Amino acid sequence: VDAPGGELRLAAARRWLSGAIALTVVAALAGAAYFFSRPRDLMLHAPVAAAERVEQLGLPDNVLNLYPWGGYLAYRWKGARKIYVDGRVSCFPASALVDYVELKHQGPGFDTLLDLYEIRTVIWAVDTPLDQALRARPAWREVFRDHNAVVYVRGGRTASR
């Protein structure tokens, strides 16, 4: 402020800063209005196409599925297929949920658990440890993959239940 014209430069800097803040606030509000005004696709992360492919191919029962997808699959298949788990945790023994965690993280005993539960079809999230493990096993054949779900069938059978 001691330099000649210092007060003018300071006032100009304050005006510029105020304008920049106002522009930022307006841009943020416009962006939020756009984001919140767009319709939401509640089924975006549900395995809709994967479930349809399981139906089309007539894949066998005893379907290992992600926990969050269980409710959707139970609703879609209306009990026509046996799924591993859904949101009704009180209906499942605690050991099944412990085993689910082992399967989800592709723990050392996951092959044994797939046999124990007689899992014949897997509908799972892409690029997860279980997806990678099943892709590498000759006993499992990938029959579907999209942006969020992958379907495997054991032994390559596609027409029986």
Side-chain angles (χ1 to χ4, degrees):
V1 182
D2 294 326
E7 288 181 17
L8 292 175
R9 282 195 304 263
L10 185 58
R14 286 185 180 148
R15 281 193 306 275
W16 181 88
L17 183 58
S18 295
I21 290 171
L23 186 59
T24 301
V25 168
V26 168
L29 290 173
Y34 173 76
F35 176 80
F36 288 112
S37 69
R38 297 178 62 218
R40 302 290 186 273
D41 181 0
L42 296 176
M43 301 307 272
L44 180 64
H45 299 291
V48 176
E52 185 174 307
R53 184 59 55 93
V54 168
E55 294 166 5
Q56 290 170 345
L57 296 174
L59 297 184
D61 261 345
N62 295 352
V63 178
L64 175 63
N65 59 282
L66 274 180
Y67 177 85
W69 293 350
Y72 169 75
L73 295 173
Y75 170 78
R76 173 156 186 151
W77 292 334
K78 296 176 179 35
R81 284 191 169 69
K82 297 175 189 170
I83 61 173
Y84 185 85
V85 69
D86 61 35
R88 301 168 299 157
V89 293
S90 61
C91 296
F92 300 95
S95 61
L97 297 175
V98 170
D99 292 344
Y100 170 82
V101 172
E102 182 80 11
L103 288 162
K104 181 178 180 184
H105 297 292
Q106 194 257 315
F110 90 99
D111 281 314
T112 303
L113 291 172
L114 291 170
D115 292 338
L116 178 67
Y117 288 101
E118 299 178 348
I119 300 297
R120 300 289 172 249
T121 301
V122 174
I123 183 167
W124 207 256
V126 297
D127 299 326
T128 58
L130 185 61
D131 173 21
Q132 294 165 4
L134 293 178
R135 186 181 315 146
R137 289 185 167 52
W140 291 91
R141 183 168 62 95
E142 181 181 312
V143 295
F144 176 83
R145 180 177 294 267
D146 70 4
H147 69 283
N148 70 330
V150 61
V151 176
Y152 290 94
V153 63
R154 186 189 292 241
R157 295 174 52 205
T158 60
S160 66
R161 257 204 220 172

